[in-house]
Amino acid sequence: MNEFIEVNKVSKTFISKRGKHPVVDNINFTVKENEIVVIFGPGQCGKTTLLNLMAGLEPVTSGVITVNGKTIEKAGPDRGVVYQKTALFPWMTVMGNVSYGPISCGHNRKEAKKIAQHYIDLVGLKGFENSYPNQISGGMAQRVGIARAYAIKPEVLLMDEPFGHLDAQTRYLMQEELIRIWENEKRTIVFVTNNIEEAIYLADRIIVITNCPTTVKGEYQVLLPRPRNYTDREFLKLREKISGFVDKSI
């Protein structure tokens, strides 16, 4: 696999009336094509800011981010984003929300509906095409968010703690579903979380970052076969290893 995403000496400082507020400090890492890389760090450490920089929603203060050799300067359809709050259009059905991206990308309504149906089926929501966001559960809404991100056919999927507000049982189910969807249609995924079990369950590699201003503290390759088991001995050993490393770095 090639180096598909490169984050090279990236820093981000916000400026307000109170002065300068550095959030990201000289971060360096790469992501290979079709790899799932999890950015793992404590709450309020700058994970969302880092993801927004990769999405092109915020400009870097210094450094360069490239995707497939192209420098990121603004948002684009090559990068789909899924947030913790799905922000679905409440006045649109599931079909309307998922087909919105393809229509915005220039497809006519018939083509957009065909694309949307494919991804609605992929995330397991066939039969709910005409449901509105207030008629479906939180887990189902996140499936719509994933389908909507996939429907613009991005090269990269950026996910910012998308399961963080779900109850434990639904969260586990959505982790399983994300892997199933990824195995059906591979994408390069950068997934942000502060949950160590979630990181190990999902990742090919885990990049551990520090408190704000955040920088890379360490990296772990996860070689456990899928599907993974939270109670497996090797899973628990890796959890203990990473937890000990994070505790020492605080």
Side-chain angles (χ1 to χ4, degrees), residues 103-168:
I103 290 172
S104 299
C105 290
H107 293 280
N108 63 45
R109 291 187 178 276
K110 184 178 180 179
E111 291 171 337
K113 187 173 181 179
K114 183 177 179 181
I115 293 167
Q117 188 66 59
H118 171 75
Y119 290 107
I120 289 170
D121 293 350
L122 182 64
V123 301
L125 288 178
K126 186 174 183 178
F128 291 91
E129 292 87 349
N130 296 320
S131 298
Y132 288 88
N134 67 352
Q135 297 174 321
I136 59 178
S137 68
M140 292 170 73
Q142 280 296 4
R143 291 175 191 237
V144 177
I146 293 170
R148 182 174 61 179
Y150 260 87
I152 61 172
K153 299 187 177 180
E155 296 176 325
V156 176
L157 203 60
L158 304 170
M159 309 188 77
D160 187 11
E161 301 193 60
F163 312 142
H165 74 292
L166 302 176
D167 63 82

Side-chain angles (χ1 to χ4, degrees), residues 162-173:
F163 312 142
H165 74 292
L166 302 176
D167 63 82
Q169 184 176 358
T170 305
R171 185 170 188 159
Y172 298 146
L173 176 62

Side-chain angles (χ1 to χ4, degrees), residues 185-229:
E185 283 204 24
K186 291 290 178 71
R187 291 291 189 279
T188 304
I189 296 179
V190 179
F191 189 105
V192 163
T193 186
N194 59 10
N195 183 294
I196 191 169
E197 288 88 2
E198 183 168 69
I200 297 170
Y201 187 87
L202 295 175
D204 293 310
R205 272 189 305 131
I206 299 171
I207 295 172
V208 180
I209 59 176
T210 65
N211 280 308
C212 190
T214 192
T215 193
V216 174
K217 184 67 179 180
E219 183 178 308
Y220 293 86
Q221 191 168 10
V222 184
L223 299 175
L224 304 177
R226 294 186 173 100
R228 294 172 183 165
N229 189 324

